[in-house]
Amino acid sequence: MKTSAHAASLAPFPAIESAIRATGARVTPSRVRVYALLQNAQGPLCHRDIERLLSGGALPAMDRVTLYRVLDWLAAAGLAHKAADARGVFRFSAATSDGEHLRHMHFRCTACGGVFCLDMSQPSLPELPQGFRLASAEFDIRGVCPDCAGKHP
Amino acid sequence: MKTSAHAASLAPFPAIESAIRATGARVTPSRVRVYALLQNAQGPLCHRDIERLLSGGALPAMDRVTLYRVLDWLAAAGLAHKAADARGVFRFSAATSDGEHLRHMHFRCTACGGVFCLDMSQPSLPELPQGFRLASAEFDIRGVCPDCAGKHP
DNA sequence: AGCTTATTGCAACCTTGTGGCGTTAATGAT
DNA sequence: ATCATTAACGCCACAAGGTTGCAATAAGCT
Ligand SMILES: [Mn+2]
Ligand SMILES: [Mn+2]
Ligand SMILES: [Zn+2]
Ligand SMILES: [Zn+2]
């Protein structure tokens, strides 16, 4: 039995693949790698974080622009959330089916940009005036994380 | 009685001047103009907004970098709030003594970046784990404003 | 008025993100 | 298995937001 090297590189992610295929778009190595990475991440990651994490492996690093496009596509397809962190840099997180990150709150460090999950549930959503289209809402807690607080006393 | 044109340009803002002088730093036309503008603004403004608003008047437009520095100084001095909007652009608002904007909530448009005051009070602040230094917290509501919803149906 | 130095203006540079376009490869049909 | 279609990619140049270094200016003090 003979399998091409290429096909083997996509095999280990059946759930990822079908989630992407379900959107009607093409399943590509870039999309699979990035989406899988977001699924395994501890918190929301920015473009830079992801570039670094991807460049570690054996596979050829994907193009900067392709990564931007993959991330925006994941967000547009509803597979990821996109939101600016406290420094104004966009961060992406997998849109888990159980909506875990949507239920609890997060702390955003204004120094390093880090996002930390807090074990507290979100306040309930408010009603909006006529004409406003709600996309997302969360309690946004900003400050300095323990790590950065140590460096800047 | 003779008054220099320069002094006259600062005279109309006694409260602004003393607030700046109280920080111990120098009172300059740039700081007075920008701080006064933030005080009169309807909502948080970005660098671009402020540049446009300032360029309207008779006074010579201040340098791009100076404006960045004045804004960051206002924030560092506690006279203004600095926060990224839904598009990742920083916006500044006067830190009113009565903390009006800190009590009610805001809607942030992901299309135009606009910030809208909502007539609803903020949820109460949460307790943070050891080591986290809180700077600010607010319920962050993102979506599309009525104006942009009309343009992108 | 003169001294000191915080603040400004300017130029160059950086980071994050986008648009255009020719080439490649994922998919459906043969 | 091969072919045709066209979505997606790589590469380039560019835009917007923001920062750094440094010489010239002017706010505050005497
Ligand atoms: Mn930005
Ligand atoms: Mn408000
Ligand atoms: Zn931090
Ligand atoms: Zn809008």
Side-chain angles (χ1 to χ4, degrees):
Chain A
M1 169 194 154
K2 183 155 138 326
T3 309
S4 83
H6 182 126
S9 77
L10 290 180
F13 304 102
I16 303 277
E17 276 197 50
S18 41
I20 294 173
R21 202 178 301 278
T23 68
R26 294 181 185 178
V27 178
T28 70
S30 301
R31 284 172 180 169
V32 173
R33 286 171 73 192
V34 174
Y35 189 38
L37 197 154
L38 288 185
Q39 298 260 31
N40 295 5
Q42 294 305 318
L45 303 174
C46 65
H47 181 273
R48 234 162 186 278
D49 292 337
I50 299 171
E51 245 184 346
R52 271 196 278 264
L53 289 169
L54 286 176
S55 68
L59 294 81
M62 85 184 64
D63 184 72
R64 229 171 57 81
V65 180
T66 299
L67 178 54
Y68 275 114
R69 290 199 271 234
V70 165
L71 288 169
D72 279 339
W73 177 83
L74 283 169
L79 297 177
H81 295 301
K82 173 183 187 175
D85 71 16
R87 293 175 315 174
V89 176
F90 286 118
R91 285 178 178 254
F92 298 81
S93 54
T96 55
S97 53
D98 64 338
E100 178 50 33
H101 284 294
L102 296 179
R103 277 196 295 280
H104 63 241
M105 302 201 277
H106 297 90
F107 180 94
R108 293 180 156 71
C109 178
T110 52
C112 69
V115 179
F116 304 81
C117 300
L118 298 179
D119 192 18
M120 308 163 177
S121 55
Q122 297 268 17
S124 54
L125 291 183
E127 292 285 329
L128 290 179
Q130 271 297 331
F132 286 88
R133 218 185 279 163
L134 180 76
S136 69
E138 69 177 304
F139 201 74
D140 180 31
I141 301 162
R142 288 187 296 273
V144 185
C145 75
D147 236 49
C148 292
K151 290 169 196 160
H152 301 279
Chain B
M1 171 190 154
K2 183 156 139 319
T3 309
S4 84
H6 182 123
S9 77
L10 291 180
F13 304 104
I16 302 277
E17 277 198 50
S18 42
I20 293 173
R21 200 177 303 280
T23 68
R26 294 182 184 175
V27 178
T28 69
S30 301
R31 285 173 180 167
V32 173
R33 285 171 74 193
V34 174
Y35 188 40
L37 196 154
L38 288 185
Q39 300 258 34
N40 295 4
Q42 295 305 319
L45 303 175
C46 64
H47 181 272
R48 233 165 187 279
D49 292 337
I50 299 170
E51 244 185 346
R52 270 196 278 264
L53 289 168
L54 287 176
S55 70
L59 296 79
M62 85 184 64
D63 184 72
R64 230 171 56 80
V65 179
T66 299
L67 179 53
Y68 276 116
R69 290 201 271 233
V70 165
L71 289 169
D72 279 339
W73 176 84
L74 284 169
L79 296 177
H81 294 302
K82 172 182 186 175
D85 71 14
R87 293 174 315 176
V89 177
F90 286 118
R91 283 178 179 253
F92 298 81
S93 53
T96 55
S97 52
D98 65 337
E100 177 51 30
H101 286 295
L102 296 178
R103 280 196 293 278
H104 62 240
M105 303 200 279
H106 297 90
F107 179 95
R108 293 181 156 72
C109 179
T110 52
C112 68
V115 179
F116 304 81
C117 299
L118 298 179
D119 190 17
M120 307 163 178
S121 56
Q122 297 268 13
S124 55
L125 292 184
E127 293 283 331
L128 289 179
Q130 271 297 331
F132 285 88
R133 216 185 282 162
L134 180 76
S136 69
E138 70 176 304
F139 201 70
D140 179 31
I141 301 160
R142 287 188 297 271
V144 185
C145 75
D147 236 48
C148 292
K151 290 169 194 160
H152 302 278

